[in-house]
Amino acid sequence: MSATLETFGVPQKKASDIEILKPLKNLITSRYQTAEQESYIGAINELAKLRTNAVAKNLECHESSLDVVYRYYDQIVALESKIPASEIQIPFKWKDAFDKGSIFGGRISLTVSSLSYEKVCVLFNIAAMQSQVAAAKNADSEEEMKLSAKLFQSASGIFSHLKTVVYSALQQDPTPDLQPETLSALASLMLAQAQEVITVHAIRGRKKDAIIAKLCAQCEDMYGETLKLFQRESIKQLWDREWIPRISGKQAGYAGLAEYHQSRVCNNDKSVGEEIARLNKGLEMFKAAQARSGDLTMFADNLGRAKNCLDEAVKDNDFIYHERVPDVKTLSAIAKAALAKPTPLPERFSTTFTDLFETLVPVSVQQALVAYDTRKQELVSSEIGKLRESTQLLNSILASLNLPAAIEDVGGEKVPQSLREKSSSVVEHGGCEALQKMISELPDLLTRNKELLEECERSLKEEQESDSQLRTQKVIDTAMSADTTIREKYESHKEGMELLSAGPEDIAGALPSASSTTDGSDPAVVRLKKLMEDVETLKSATIDMKNVFLNALAQDGAINEQGMSAESLGRVFGPLQKQVKESIERQEELVKNIQEAHKDFSHAVSGAGGDREAMMKKLASAYDNFIVLRSNLTEGTKFYNDLTQLLQSTPTRVHPRCHRHPQRKHPQASLPFLGPLLLQNLPYPINPSGMPTPQGYVYSSYPVYTPMPQGYNPYFQQQPGYGTAPYPQQPYTAYPFPPQAQPPQQQQWPPQ
C-alpha cells in the first residue's frame, strides 16, 4: 500500500550585511584588559566570517549547509553567556520570512541592537533550513526518511522554544514570523509532518494494519490541530496560498487512510459489516482530501485501492455473510500512536564546536569569583588585622623600653647589633636620597591625574550628577592629604634617617658614651635576652601566618557555589584562625613577662636612660618610619600610576555612552569606569604580596569583566606603632576596617 509524501519547508529570514568586527573589538578590548586581547581579535575575525557564511550567503538545501549555520549559532550562544547581550551594540537587521514585499514597498524588517535578537533569528533559520532539508529528502530511501523525521522533530522543538523566549529576547514586538501564534502554528506543522514521514515509512515497510491505522489516526489529529492554528485571523494571511488547503487535504486523507487500514483489520477478523462501513468512510475522506486541496492526484492511489476493497467486501457480504452494515458513527474510535515528539533544544548543534572565546570568563562565573573573593578578603583582612594590632602593641612597648638595643648595649662601648642591621637595611634601600626622590615625584603624578580627571568630568558634564563627581574628586583630595602627611613624617625623622644612611661607623661616632654598664651575664639581662628571642620567634610565626593566609587565598581558585558558603570558608581558614588566636595569646603573655623582666634589668643597669639610650630610641624610631615611608611611597606611586591608567582609558568609553544617552542621569551609566569603584561597595583586592592590584589582575588565569579598581587600600602593609596608613584605604560604608592601632594625634580621615 503506497502513500504520497509531500511536505512543506519553511522560508528563511534574510539578514542585512553589517559590521560586527569593530564593535566587538572595541567592547572586548575595553572590558577585558588581559594579555589575550590579540587572540580575541582573531576570534572576532573568525566570528565575522562565520556570520557571512551562515546568514549572508544563499546556502544549498543540504545537511552541510545546516552545519554552517549550526557553528555560527553555537558561537553566539557561547559569547552571550560571557558578555551581556545588551552590551553588544550592533544593529542587527532581519527581514520577515513570509513577507515577499510589494511593488509599493520593501519587505517588513526589524532592527534590534542585541545579540539575543541575532540568536533568535539565526535559530529561526536553523529550524527553517531543517524543514527544507527534511522536505527535500527522497521518500524511497529508508535512511533519508529517518533523517527527514529527525529534522522535522528538531524544527518543531526549535519553534516551540522560540515561542517562549522571543519577547524576553527582543523586549519589543517582533516581526509577524516571530509572533508566538506564528511559531505555535509552525511547531505544530513540523510535528505533523514528522508523524507523517514515520507513518509513510511504516506503510512502505508493510507493518501490521493495526499499527498503521493508529499512526494514520495520529496524523489526522495532528494535521487537524495544525489547521486550526493556521486559520487564525491574526496569521492566516502570512502563508502561501496552497498551504492551508494542503494541510486540510492531509487531515482528511489520513483520516481516510486510518479507516482503510482498520478495515483491513476487520477483513482479517471476518467482521465484514464493519469493514464495509469503514471503507465507505475512507472513500468519503479521500474524496474530501482531493476537494479541499484542489488536487485530484492527492491520495488517488489510496482511493482506487479502497474502491476495489469495498467492491469485494460488498460482494462477499451479499453472497456469503449477510452482515448488517453499522453506522460508522457507532463504531469505536481508532486508537492513536504518537511517535513524533518535539526535540528539546540541544546545548550545542555542531558536533565539532570549538569556543572561539574560550578564555573569556562567563559573567556568572565572574560574579561568583568576585563575591567569594570578597568574603575571603574580609575574613583574611580581619585575622591579619588582629595579628597586626597585637604585634603593633608589642613593638610599641619594645620601642619604649629601648629593646632589643638596650640588652645589646650592656657594655656601652659599641653600636648594638640590631642598630647595625637597621643601618645596613636603610643603606641597602637607598637611604634618604631614595625617599627624597620618590617624594619629589608625587606632585607630577598628582598633577597628571588631576588633569585626566578634569577631562573626564568635562566629557560627562551634561549628564553626570555632582554627587558622583564629588566622590570621584575625593579620591584625589584624600591622596593629596596623604602626600602632605608623608612629607611631614619624613621631615620629623629626617635627621635620624640621615644618620642611619651614613652607616654604622658614623652612628658609632654620634652615639654618646654610656654613663655606666653592667655585665651581660647578669640574670636580669639573661632573662630579658631569652624573652627577646621568644619575641623574634613569635614575629617569624606571625609573618609566616600572614603568608599562609594569603597563599591560601591565592591558591583556592576553583570556585563554585557550594565552595562559597560560610562552612567552606570555615573549613579552609578555621585552622589558621585558631593559630592567630594562639599567637595573640602568646604575645599577651610575652608583654607581661617582658615588662616584669625590664624592671629587674633597670635595677641591674645603673644609669639606665641618659643621652645614649635616647639617641638609640631616636634611631630605632627613624628606622621604623623609614620602612613605613618607603612602603607608603611605593604604594602611593603605584596608586597614582594605576589611577592614570584608569583615567586614560575612560574617555574612549565615556564619549560613546554620552552620545547614546545624552539625557541619562544615572551614576553607573554616566561613569562606566567608576561603576565598580563607587557603586558595588567591594573592598580593593589585595594580592599575596600585600600590594593593591586592579580588579583585572585578581585572578591571573581569568580575564575579568569590567576590570576596574573597586576601592583603594595602598598601605595594607602597616608597621609597628604607626596605625593606619596615610593614603585612602576604604571609601565604603558597607565594609568595616580591620582592627588597627590608633596612636595619639593620628590623622582622622573624612567621614565616608
Side-chain angles (χ1 to χ4, degrees), residues 409-412 513-518 604-608 612:
D409 192 45
V410 291
S513 298
S515 57
S516 62
T517 62
T518 188
V605 181
S606 59
R612 183 177 178 85

Side-chain angles (χ1 to χ4, degrees), residues 311-332:
D311 290 342
E312 291 181 7
V314 170
K315 181 179 178 182
D316 289 344
N317 193 47
D318 288 344
F319 286 95
I320 303 174
Y321 300 104
H322 305 290
E323 286 190 11
R324 183 181 65 86
V325 177
D327 188 337
V328 71
K329 295 178 181 178
T330 64
L331 300 177
S332 59

